[in-house]
Structure formats: structure tokens, C-alpha cells
Amino acid sequence: FVGWGGAQRWLRSDLPFNTVQTFAQALAGYATLFRGGDKTGEVFAPLAPALLVVHQRLKQAFDPKGIFNPHRMYKDL
């Protein structure tokens, strides 16, 4: 399925998620595990270190006690 005016692709695959993610990164894209698969690891594309810091600061500002969906999107958030 193609969405967002052609900018987003949905893929159903039996390949391991890290294989799909590596392939997407090689094409200057990213992959997110939407449904199924092993969700014990990261399911989103890794953030660049500077961007991770921004996300951490936003999380701290809006949720200083860390009670809203801890580690849901990224293990470091």
C-alpha cells in the first residue's frame, strides 16, 4: 500500500524486521514495525544522537515523572 502522496510505503513481509530496516536505511529511508514480529527490541528507526537528546528533553519537560507510556516508542524514553 502506498500512502501520503507516495511518500509512505506499507510492507507485509515474513523477513526479520532488522533485515527490512537495513534495506530501508540503504535506500535513505526507515522502517517501523507496525504489527506482529518481535517487539522486545526497538520497533522504530534509531534516532540520531542529537535527535534522541531532543526527544529526551521533550519527554522530561512534558512527563517529568515518566509515567506516560515509558519505553513505548524508544527504550531510552
Side-chain angles (χ1 to χ4, degrees), residues 4-72:
W4 288 19
Q8 183 179 40
R9 308 287 194 273
W10 293 82
L11 169 71
R12 180 178 179 156
S13 176
D14 292 327
L15 293 171
F17 175 62
N18 62 342
T19 301
V20 174
Q21 193 172 43
T22 300
F23 182 70
Q25 288 172 344
L27 297 172
Y30 63 92
T32 301
L33 181 60
F34 183 73
R35 182 180 293 158
D38 178 14
K39 292 187 178 134
T40 58
E42 296 289 348
V43 297
F44 290 97
L47 295 172
L51 191 54
L52 178 60
V53 170
V54 171
H55 278 257
Q56 288 170 328
R57 288 180 181 166
L58 283 169
K59 175 76 171 170
Q60 178 62 33
F62 286 102
D63 182 20
K65 294 185 180 181
I67 59 174
F68 298 113
N69 295 319
H71 314 292
R72 181 172 180 164

